[in-house]
Amino acid sequence: MKILAVLLALFLAAIQAQLWFGKGSLPRVTQLRQELAQAQAENDKARAHNAQILAELRDLREGLEMVEEKARTELGFIKPDEVFVQYQRR
């Protein structure tokens, strides 16, 4: 019976050693969680930056289209290699 108690104690010690010093140990898990949180924060920052750049790009595209439309309707702007045709209704 004493041998069984010693074997169980050794088994428990081996499990505890894995928990504290093994590949999936608590300190390693804590370190990985911190690295994950840092990576997620960097990703969020990059996503925000990308969204800002996309908004600026959209504004530039829409702004240029609006300027071109105004130039065409109000100033008679014609691009090179375009043919301007005007007709009147009777």
Side-chain angles (χ1 to χ4, degrees), residues 20-56:
W20 293 101
F21 305 112
K23 186 176 180 181
S25 66
L26 291 177
R28 177 72 175 141
V29 169
T30 303
Q31 177 189 4
L32 290 174
R33 284 185 180 160
Q34 289 173 347
E35 290 176 11
L36 177 63
Q38 182 180 4
Q40 287 175 337
E42 290 174 4
N43 285 345
D44 291 341
K45 185 178 178 181
R47 281 189 191 100
H49 184 68
N50 287 346
Q52 180 184 3
I53 290 174
L54 286 175
E56 289 176 8

Side-chain angles (χ1 to χ4, degrees), residues 7 15 30 36 49 58 61 66:
L7 286 175
I15 291 174
T30 303
L36 177 63
H49 184 68
R58 194 176 320 111
R61 283 184 181 159
M66 187 170 42

Side-chain angles (χ1 to χ4, degrees), residues 64-85:
L64 290 178
E65 289 173 0
M66 187 170 42
V67 168
E68 182 179 342
E69 181 181 337
K70 285 235 183 232
R72 285 179 178 276
T73 57
E74 295 177 8
L75 302 174
F77 174 74
I78 301 172
K79 288 183 178 181
D81 299 330
E82 279 188 338
V83 177
F84 177 70
V85 178

